[in-house]
Amino acid sequence: MIDRQIEDFLLAQTETFMKPAKDVAVLIDEHNVAHAKLLLSQYKYSNVPVITKKKEFVGILGLTEIVEFENAHDFFYEKSTQTDISEIVNNEIETVQINYSFEDILRKLTKQSFLPVLNDKEFVGIIPRQEILKAFSAFVHDFPKHYRIEKIPENEKNLKK
């Protein structure tokens, strides 16, 4: 478990770690592969969330999935304009619900550049790894200005458990 004072300090570094859905580039699951490739390359994103028209989270799509699709199908442009991204989306992705805990974020964010945030199935935003790193940067620089840190003597460590 994360020490309560440390978690409180980290959480105070930002109003929320979440970037709301309205500020996130997304793809609709009915978009075709060619459209997805254009969006990813134009905005230089490695991955983006994929949602339905009803704003339900489907998964993420990135250039990796597109290249794998192209390689598997002897890529030709017509195929990419006729294939919905729902056929190649990565839906084995970690997510958190809107009532996430900081510990949950840390555990799940180690393998992804962002965590989709859901309210049941509805996509409500993302938590970018960058925001967590900013909070930790503030922690290592500013925590000692607000809290006293001292080493616990060896003979007292077992008493703290």
Side-chain angles (χ1 to χ4, degrees), residues 126-155:
I126 63 171
I127 298 174
R129 184 185 301 147
Q130 176 182 351
E131 292 303 314
I132 303 303
L133 291 173
K134 285 180 189 175
F136 269 103
S137 178
F139 172 74
V140 298
H141 290 95
D142 297 336
F143 190 79
K145 294 175 186 173
H146 304 279
Y147 295 90
R148 183 172 294 118
I149 300 173
E150 56 187 61
K151 184 173 171 116
I152 298 172
E154 288 297 321
N155 62 344

Side-chain angles (χ1 to χ4, degrees), residues 53-93:
K53 286 183 178 178
K54 294 181 179 180
K55 298 187 186 218
E56 290 183 350
F57 181 74
V58 176
I60 64 165
L61 184 69
L63 292 175
T64 301
E65 289 83 12
I66 292 173
V67 169
E68 287 173 0
F69 165 77
E70 290 174 349
N71 288 337
H73 292 89
D74 296 321
F75 175 73
F76 55 95
Y77 186 74
E78 286 177 10
K79 180 72 174 167
S80 71
T81 60
Q82 297 168 356
T83 304
D84 288 349
I85 61 173
S86 60
E87 294 182 38
I88 64 171
V89 68
N90 177 359
N91 55 12
E92 294 179 16
I93 189 86

Side-chain angles (χ1 to χ4, degrees), residues 1 6-7 10 16 50-51 64 73 100 112 121-122 131 160:
M1 288 194 63
I6 293 173
E7 184 172 14
L10 291 168
T16 177
V50 177
I51 61 174
T64 301
H73 292 89
Y100 58 81
Q112 300 169 194
K121 294 179 183 179
E122 179 188 0
E131 292 303 314
K160 298 278 184 185

Side-chain angles (χ1 to χ4, degrees), residues 27 35-48 61-63 66:
L27 289 164
H35 177 85
K37 192 174 180 179
L38 181 65
L39 177 105
L40 288 165
S41 61
Q42 182 178 3
Y43 291 101
K44 296 182 177 30
Y45 293 135
S46 56
N47 295 295
V48 294
L61 184 69
L63 292 175
I66 292 173

